[in-house]
Amino acid sequence: MVRQLTRARGNLMTAIKFTKDDKLWMRQALELAQHAASLEEVPVGAVLVRDGILLGEGWNAPISSCDASHHAEIAAIRAANRSINNYRLPGSTLYVTLEPCTMCFGALIHARVERVFYATEEQRAGVLVSQLQLANTDFYNHQIQVAGGLLADESAALLRQFFRSRRVSNRIASE
C-alpha cells in the first residue's frame, strides 16, 4: 500500500510504501486499541519505535485514569521518555490507530518525534489531514513527517464496532 508522506516547510509530498515492519508495529497498536475497548475506553492504541526497538506504548484511558490527557499517543510518549530517560525522541516513529488530535500533535512536536503513521482519519478532530493539517504548517520549530492509511480498515472497523455497541447499551439503559 502506498500513502503520502507529508513533510512541512514547503509541503513536500512523496509517496512511501509501508513496510512489513510498519504493518507489524501498527498491528501491535491495534492490539492496544482492542485493550482500550475492553476497558470501555475509545479504542485507540499507539506504539513509539526507534531503530526497530519499541520505546513506549499506550492506549486511550481518560475515563479510567480520570485524566483528560490520557490519550494513547501521550501514554506512549510518556513511556518512551521514561524508557530512554529523555524528554526528546528524535528519530522515532509513532504508529497510532487514529489520526491524532491537537493536544497529541503538540506533544509529538515537543518530543521531537520524526514520523507519525496513523491508521484511520478522525474526521471531527484529526489535525494531520482531516481538519487543520498542522504537519503542513511552517510555524513550528520541529517538523513531523506524516503518512496515513496503514491498516485503516481494521482500525475503522474496531471504532465502528465500539461506538455501535455503546449506542446499543445507551438505548437499552434508557428504556
Side-chain angles (χ1 to χ4, degrees):
M1 170 179 283
V2 177
R3 293 288 186 226
Q4 295 293 22
L5 182 68
T6 305
R7 177 179 238 146
R9 297 215 176 148
N11 244 352
L12 174 66
M13 297 290 283
T14 56
I16 66 156
K17 183 173 181 158
F18 293 124
T19 67
K20 183 178 178 182
D21 285 343
D22 292 332
K23 292 174 186 172
L24 288 172
W25 290 119
M26 188 62 80
R27 288 208 186 285
Q28 186 166 342
L30 281 165
E31 288 176 17
L32 295 167
Q34 290 170 340
H35 177 68
S38 76
L39 301 172
E40 299 185 16
E41 300 278 0
V42 174
V44 180
V47 296
L48 250 166
V49 177
R50 182 169 57 198
D51 299 326
I53 298 169
L54 177 67
L55 300 179
E57 62 184 21
W59 56 88
N60 269 16
I63 299 165
S64 58
S65 69
C66 297
D67 178 357
S69 70
H70 199 229
H71 288 195
E73 301 93 326
I74 302 296
I77 290 168
R78 288 175 178 161
N81 293 147
R82 285 189 303 272
S83 77
I84 66 166
N85 197 31
N86 193 331
Y87 74 111
R88 302 283 194 203
L89 302 165
S92 64
T93 300
L94 177 79
Y95 296 88
V96 62
T97 60
L98 186 65
E99 179 184 2
C101 71
T102 309
M103 174 185 68
C104 293
F105 184 75
L108 293 163
I109 290 284
H110 289 289
R112 302 297 192 264
V113 170
E114 183 175 324
R115 301 182 311 169
V116 173
F117 289 172
Y118 66 91
T120 193
E121 294 176 7
E122 211 297 49
Q123 295 300 316
R124 293 183 185 183
V127 298
L128 301 181
V129 296
S130 296
Q131 293 297 329
L132 301 176
Q133 298 85 38
L134 290 179
N136 290 332
T137 61
D138 63 0
F139 52 80
Y140 290 114
N141 60 348
H142 174 71
Q143 305 307 307
I144 297 177
Q145 299 169 0
V146 172
L150 178 58
L151 303 182
D153 293 340
E154 291 94 324
S155 179
L158 181 60
L159 286 158
R160 279 191 306 274
Q161 177 185 8
F162 174 79
F163 286 110
R164 187 177 304 122
S165 70
R166 292 218 27 189
R167 284 190 297 275
V168 168
S169 295
N170 290 339
R171 189 176 64 237
I172 291 170
S174 66
E175 291 176 349

